[in-house]
Amino acid sequence: MPTNPSSIDVLTDSPAIRQAGRSLLSLALMDARNCTLQLLARFEEAVGAGLSIPRVDHFDPPERVAGHIAWLAEWWLGRNPQRGLGFRSPADGPRLPSLHRQADSWFRHVGAEHWPELGEVRGYMLVQLESTLEILERAEETDDGLYLFRAMLHYEDFIAEQLVAQARALGLSLPVGSAAEYAAAEPLNLPATRWLLGAPANGFALAIERPQWQVNILPFEIDAQPVNWSQFVEFVDDGGYDRSDWWHPQGWEWLRQASIPDGRRGPRHVEQIRAAAGGVVINWSGRSVRVSGSQPVTHITWWEADAWARWAGRRLPLEMEWEVAVHQRQGRSMRWGDVLEWTSTRLRPWDGYERDNWAVGTALDPQPHWEMARVLRGGSISTRGRMKHKRSRRFALPDRDEAFTGFRTCAL
């Protein structure tokens, strides 16, 4: 990101991009593609021009992930005569030929065994973006006319986050800085309220953020900022990873299994975590780095967050409590945006939910994860500013920790 952003940069990297017209949307799409290509270059620099990255955890090879961004955008925009229908554009509608004769065999199916070299992927991505921008110039400046363009921007920004997480897992240099240090602040007390949950009908929103609905919220107390390393060290020093009574039974089973190969004693990437040993040391881009105790905990599973809350005599917030708090108390010690925050809410569709056809088969499709995944709110240091929307709704399975995930708690 630019160190001294212009007014255009600020607008294209703002959550307001969800309602952006053609001009700003065109700039944002170019910005997102530049970011993706820069991330690919980091992988290439690390392992040489051949770019043969080993499979790590849940990650696919980066050249295939990046190529799928271009393929998905071409499938829904360049090749889709019904793109003007927006959200309701059918998945099984007619499609025009691809810009690349092998694109479908390379990128359409997640389990494909073969994919091209990085140079060919990069060429396909550039040609596809040029075609998309030409189509965008002729698109109707309505929510339907621009919906799929906004959706493809959101998907590319999301995949950029995944590429950063993959680079983190491999110990490569990262294009993000560390999280901010938070001064201690007292928890916030919020009164009972009736809240309109979810994203408005205009502009872009994921299917899991729609439609809006009224919910009654009881009075609650919530942390003003995410739990930090100093707080988490106390849990570890008190035997947090040794006592089952603080863990959900499934979480305890996950911990026992996770501890077999490497003896898990703290969140992912932690090399040392004990107050007596000087606090917390993490692996950052292949180097051992001591972190400040006032920085938020990162790369933590839902199981660990839940266990800490039980140990502290507190609980994880409901997603609607989190949303109310950031709307009503931001600027009054309510800090967010450095870590994606776990909530206690299980992922469920809201009444009136309509599936995003374009997201089917991608990591943004919630359908395979109903009831099992937990809702994440906010954004992290690897999240583009335009994705840090107060009503943004994300999700992950409770054992996932590759993203910059953290948490805050509420009083029981």
Side-chain angles (χ1 to χ4, degrees), residues 45-197:
E45 290 167 5
V47 297
L51 188 63
S52 179
I53 297 288
R55 184 175 177 83
V56 178
D57 292 343
H58 306 280
F59 301 113
D60 287 317
E63 65 269 38
R64 188 180 187 287
V65 171
H68 186 263
I69 293 171
W71 180 86
L72 194 71
E74 190 189 11
W75 181 261
W76 284 101
L77 295 170
R79 302 170 62 181
N80 180 15
Q82 296 176 294
R83 57 182 172 268
L85 296 177
F87 178 75
R88 291 177 175 80
S89 179
D92 57 355
R95 290 297 189 275
L96 302 173
S98 173
L99 293 164
H100 196 295
R101 61 187 178 82
Q102 291 182 276
D104 286 350
S105 62
W106 281 340
F107 304 119
R108 184 172 188 176
H109 301 292
V110 174
E113 296 181 0
H114 303 288
W115 46 85
E117 296 295 325
L118 176 60
E120 196 157 7
V121 172
R122 187 184 287 114
Y124 173 54
M125 295 177 73
L126 292 172
V127 171
Q128 172 271 312
L129 177 62
E130 183 179 355
S131 173
T132 293
L133 295 178
E134 290 177 359
I135 296 168
L136 177 57
E137 290 179 359
R138 305 190 299 271
E140 288 190 29
E141 205 143 19
T142 62
D143 279 339
D144 281 342
L146 297 179
Y147 178 82
L148 287 170
F149 294 93
R150 294 166 177 165
M152 293 305 105
L153 172 64
H154 184 89
Y155 182 67
E156 185 148 3
D157 285 337
F158 171 79
I159 292 300
E161 265 192 291
Q162 305 301 297
L163 290 172
V164 171
Q166 185 171 8
R168 180 93 172 90
L170 291 167
L172 306 184
S173 64
L174 299 177
V176 296
S178 58
E181 298 183 29
Y182 293 160
E186 293 297 315
L188 306 171
N189 289 288
L190 285 94
T193 187
R194 184 164 175 79
W195 186 253
L196 187 62
L197 187 68

Side-chain angles (χ1 to χ4, degrees), residues 284-333:
W284 184 269
S285 299
R287 298 179 296 112
S288 296
V289 176
R290 191 174 301 280
V291 297
S292 168
S294 60
Q295 288 180 312
V297 174
T298 60
H299 297 291
I300 194 167
T301 65
W302 189 91
W303 300 127
E304 290 164 299
D306 178 65
W308 190 95
R310 291 167 184 252
W311 167 81
R314 296 175 69 79
R315 63 176 176 85
L316 297 178
L318 297 167
E319 65 166 314
M320 57 276 289
E321 292 172 332
W322 189 97
E323 186 173 306
V324 166
V326 297
H327 275 86
Q328 295 189 353
R329 295 300 178 91
Q330 183 173 331
R332 285 178 281 179
S333 299

Side-chain angles (χ1 to χ4, degrees), residues 251-303:
W252 184 250
E253 179 60 23
W254 164 83
L255 179 62
R256 297 302 91 204
Q257 293 179 0
S259 296
I260 291 172
D262 56 6
R264 180 148 177 152
R265 310 297 300 166
R268 187 182 181 121
H269 302 301
V270 166
E271 296 180 345
Q272 173 185 295
I273 181 164
R274 286 189 63 193
V280 181
V281 175
I282 64 171
N283 183 294
W284 184 269
S285 299
R287 298 179 296 112
S288 296
V289 176
R290 191 174 301 280
V291 297
S292 168
S294 60
Q295 288 180 312
V297 174
T298 60
H299 297 291
I300 194 167
T301 65
W302 189 91
W303 300 127

